[in-house]
C-alpha cells in the first residue's frame, strides 16, 4: 500500500544499553578544580559519545566529599571499567565507585 512505511520483513531490535554510574570523589573532599573537572570531561568524552555529569555530595566516615557522578548508557562494560581506572589514575584516587544493575563495585586498579 502507498502510505505504509517501508518494511524489509526483518525484525530489528534496538541494542540494549546498560546504565553504568561512576562515582568519583574529590581528593581530600575539597571541591573539584576547573582543571580536574575538565580532565574528567575530556577523559569520558574520549571514550563515550554521550554521558551525564552531575555534582553530588557524598559522605565517607561522616565527612562530606564533593563527588562527580557520571552516567553512561552503554553495552561496553569493559570500556566503562577501563574508564574508571583511567579516572582513578588521573585524579590520584585509591578507587572509583561503579554501580551497574543495582550492584556497587569499587575499581582499584
Amino acid at each position: 500500500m502507498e502510505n505504509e512505511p517501508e518494511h524489509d520483513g526483518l525484525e530489528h531490535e534496538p541494542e540494549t544499553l546498560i546504565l553504568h554510574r561512576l562515582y568519583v570523589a574529590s581528593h581530600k573532599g575539597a571541591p573539584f578544580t576547573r582543571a580536574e573537572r575538565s580532565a574528567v570531561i575530556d577523559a569520558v568524552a574520549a571514550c563515550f559519545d554521550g554521558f551525564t555529569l552531575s555534582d553530588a555530595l557524598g559522605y565517607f566516615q561522616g565527612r562530606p566529599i564533593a563527588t562527580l557522578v557520571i552516567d553512561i548508557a552503554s553495552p561496553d562494560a569493559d570500556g566503562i571499567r577501563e574508564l574508571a581506572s583511567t579516572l582513578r589514575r588521573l585524579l590520584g584516587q585509591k578507587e572509583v565507585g561503579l554501580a551497574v544493575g543495582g550492584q556497587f563495585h569499587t575499581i582499584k586498579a
Side-chain angles (χ1 to χ4, degrees):
M1 298 184 93
E2 258 180 67
N3 293 331
E4 289 187 19
E6 294 285 324
H7 186 50
D8 61 10
L10 300 175
E11 292 293 321
H12 296 283
E13 290 195 26
E15 182 176 29
T16 300
L17 300 177
I18 299 168
L19 182 61
H20 301 82
R21 180 168 282 173
L22 295 172
Y23 295 89
V24 182
S26 70
H27 191 63
K28 297 182 181 177
F32 285 90
T33 66
R34 285 184 194 215
E36 290 170 330
R37 182 179 294 274
S38 291
V40 168
I41 291 168
D42 291 346
V44 178
C47 298
F48 295 95
D49 289 337
F51 61 94
T52 301
L53 178 72
S54 304
D55 288 293
L57 187 58
Y59 284 83
F60 183 72
Q61 297 179 342
R63 294 193 318 253
I65 300 171
T67 303
L68 293 177
V69 179
I70 305 159
D71 289 324
I72 303 167
S74 173
D76 185 5
D78 290 338
I80 298 287
R81 287 182 169 278
E82 287 177 29
L83 173 61
S85 291
T86 297
L87 293 174
R88 184 192 61 76
R89 286 188 306 274
L90 183 69
L91 297 173
Q93 301 293 339
K94 290 182 184 176
E95 59 192 31
V96 168
L98 169 61
V100 183
Q103 296 182 350
F104 184 83
H105 313 272
T106 54
I107 307 301
K108 296 181 181 183

